[in-house]
Amino acid sequence: METRVVPCHTFMPHSFLWVSMVTTIQLQPETKSRLDEIKAHPRESYDEAVNRLLDMAYDPEPLSEETLQQIEEGIADIRAGRCRPLEEVAKDLGLE
């Protein structure tokens, strides 16, 4: 059996293999400077930096009902005064 390698453009035009869309956005100079500062390395693209920030800011896994209930209970405890100052807890634990 003979194996032949045929270039992809034989099957479909190159434009179907890789489509890259570019969008231009306007940034304030201060915003661009901040992006420059948070880049992981000088050659990291702005797209990579922005996606890294978005990954840190957005958690696709929602909180469970149990966790939401615990948060509500904690807020109720704070409002009812059922809490202690951090300094007091630190002292009790010998962390001062």
Side-chain angles (χ1 to χ4, degrees):
M1 173 185 250
E2 180 182 337
T3 303
R4 288 181 31 194
V5 177
V6 181
C8 289
H9 66 272
T10 302
F11 297 112
M12 63 180 71
H14 179 70
S15 61
F16 284 91
L17 295 176
W18 180 259
V19 177
S20 177
M21 296 180 67
V22 175
T23 300
T24 301
I25 61 171
Q26 293 182 348
L27 300 174
Q28 296 294 324
E30 301 83 30
T31 305
K32 183 184 175 302
S33 293
R34 291 177 69 192
L35 279 173
D36 287 335
E37 290 174 12
I38 62 101
K39 289 169 80 173
H41 53 82
R43 294 186 59 135
E44 180 180 36
S45 70
Y46 290 112
D47 184 69
E48 292 167 325
V50 169
N51 275 295
R52 189 166 38 80
L53 292 172
L54 290 171
D55 289 343
M56 289 189 295
Y58 175 72
D59 184 357
E61 186 175 320
L63 296 175
S64 68
E65 287 300 320
E66 179 183 358
T67 300
L68 291 172
Q69 180 61 36
Q70 290 172 343
I71 291 170
E72 290 298 325
E73 290 170 5
I75 291 170
D77 285 343
I78 292 168
R79 287 186 177 143
R82 295 185 297 263
C83 57
R84 297 172 40 204
L86 177 62
E87 294 80 12
E88 185 180 315
V89 174
K91 183 178 179 182
D92 290 349
L93 294 173
L95 300 174
E96 284 192 87

